[in-house]
Amino acid sequence: MGKTVYAYQIMNDKDIPDTIVRTSTIPEELGRIEYFLSDKTGTLTKNDMELKKLHMGTMSYGVESLEDLSNQLAAAFQQTKESTSGRHHPHGKSKRDMTSRVRDIVLALALCHNVTPVVDDGEEPTYQASSPDEIAIVRWTERVGLTLVFRDMNEIHLRTRNDTILEFQILHTFPFTSESKRMGIVVKDKATNEIMFYQKGADVVMSRIVHYNDWLDEECGNMAREGLRTLVIARKRLSDDAKSSISDRKAQESAVVSSILENDLELLGVTGVEDKLQDGPVLKYGC
């Protein structure tokens, strides 16, 4: 009789509408639950990711400051365009440093991924990737003014807010694995011939690879407490020796990565991605 009453009360509880009790054995055990654990299959979340925060050590950007970041990015690309065309305009040192740092990390996020844009007749591009986190990051770079417009096995093309196309040759990719907890890509800027290695991954592995800093662990912890998934972004300009080693097809990938690429990387920043909760009541941790 008691089990029947429990089931009736649950199914008629206005705070949890449309609930169906399919068994009489579980309801009597609900009061004993202290912790509710879930896997990563989207049981409690929509699997709909959104990049909510970008932290760069001395600067932090959230959803409310995207316009400011977008303006910084546009200014950085304008400065680059003017310097290459031979025109120079005075800027304060702090202003120049800030815009260049914004450009560096947004460019890294726009290049270091496995996302492919798909464009149907005249429509806005959609993105395909093995992970929704990757798509969330590329959507974010599009919002701030750097859009992925083309990608194949050999090249990546990006479009700035003033419709300038940036073209990069893909020299090598290091896919993400559950063991490595990171991914990397080596690209060549076709306009400057500069070759760069970009890498992003979990803080537990990236903290050992990047230059020493005094803020990475703390900020990753802060984002984690906010319920955000963190990714550490870093880069390294390659010397001629490194370029030769990577082009040597006989070189073992693991040896090249560990000895040449994955040491003393320049830390660019940390992203915090939110996986939105399902609509409606959600069970929370507690007694």
Side-chain angles (χ1 to χ4, degrees):
M1 179 65 70
K3 294 179 182 180
T4 303
V5 173
Y6 294 154
Y8 176 82
Q9 292 176 335
I10 291 172
M11 288 190 293
N12 289 274
D13 191 331
K14 295 180 180 180
D15 291 332
I16 49 173
D18 302 321
T19 302
I20 300 175
V21 178
R22 301 186 185 278
T23 176
S24 61
T25 59
I26 294 180
E28 63 179 333
E29 298 178 359
L30 291 176
R32 303 175 186 174
I33 294 178
E34 294 186 10
Y35 300 97
F36 181 80
L37 306 179
S38 173
D39 58 17
K40 294 183 178 180
T41 59
T43 305
L44 299 180
T45 59
K46 296 179 179 180
N47 210 28
D48 181 13
M49 311 295 185
E50 181 182 0
L51 199 156
K52 303 288 286 189
K53 183 175 288 187
L54 173 67
H55 192 84
M56 302 165 60
T58 58
M59 297 179 291
S60 183
Y61 295 92
V63 176
E64 70 286 348
S65 54
L66 285 184
E67 183 177 356
D68 180 40
L69 191 146
S70 181
N71 292 334
Q72 294 282 352
L73 183 66
F77 281 120
Q78 182 62 30
Q79 289 176 21
T80 301
K81 182 178 180 180
E82 291 174 354
S83 64
T84 55
S85 63
R87 292 180 295 163
H88 299 278
H89 298 280
H91 294 279
K93 185 177 187 299
S94 61
K95 180 74 172 180
R96 184 171 61 252
D97 289 347
M98 183 179 296
T99 56
S100 63
R101 289 180 62 193
V102 167
R103 177 188 182 276
D104 290 343
I105 190 167
V106 176
L107 186 59
L109 291 170
L111 290 170
C112 188
H113 54 71
N114 62 4
V115 180
T116 301
V118 178
V119 181
D120 295 325
D121 301 329
E123 297 183 2
E124 290 296 317
T126 58
Y127 301 116
Q128 295 181 350
S130 58
S131 168
D133 300 67
E134 298 273 77
I135 294 177
I137 291 174
V138 172
R139 284 176 177 166
W140 181 87
T141 65
E142 179 182 358
R143 289 179 65 189
V144 299
L146 195 57
T147 304
L148 175 66
V149 293
F150 176 81
R151 198 241 178 84
D152 62 13
M153 297 292 292
N154 301 309
E155 291 194 4
I156 296 178
H157 296 176
L158 306 174
R159 185 179 64 234
T160 67
R161 197 163 65 178
N162 65 357
D163 290 329
T164 300
I165 300 298
L166 310 177
E167 298 184 1
F168 298 84
Q169 180 184 357
I170 301 174
L171 300 182
H172 205 93
T173 57
F174 304 93
F176 175 89
T177 66
S178 57
E179 292 78 18
S180 68
K181 294 182 175 60
R182 58 193 182 275
M183 73 153 295
I185 187 170
V186 180
V187 295
K188 177 181 180 180
D189 188 330
K190 297 180 70 174
T192 64
N193 291 324
E194 181 180 53
I195 297 180
M196 193 78 71
F197 171 57
Y198 292 105
Q199 189 170 63
K200 68 181 179 184
D203 59 297
V204 292
V205 294
M206 294 296 292
S207 60
R208 303 192 300 266
I209 297 172
V210 299
H211 286 154
Y212 172 78
N213 63 89
D214 57 1
W215 60 268
L216 179 58
D217 291 342
E218 179 180 359
E219 187 57 35
C220 286
N222 292 337
M223 288 190 186
R225 282 187 287 274
E226 295 177 26
L228 303 179
R229 300 184 182 187
T230 58
L231 274 178
V232 179
I233 318 300
R235 72 174 184 178
K236 186 174 188 178
R237 289 186 175 86
L238 299 187
S239 64
D240 291 336
D241 291 340
K243 298 172 190 176
S244 300
S245 297
I246 292 174
S247 62
D248 181 5
R249 294 182 178 273
K250 296 181 180 179
Q252 294 293 324
E253 283 190 13
S254 58
V256 171
V257 171
S258 60
S259 64
I260 298 175
L261 299 180
E262 288 189 338
N263 59 79
D264 293 330
L265 267 69
E266 177 188 358
L267 175 61
L268 299 178
V270 182
T271 62
V273 174
E274 177 188 53
D275 190 356
K276 300 176 183 178
L277 291 174
Q278 295 279 8
D279 297 328
V282 178
L283 288 176
K284 298 182 180 179
Y285 295 106
C287 298

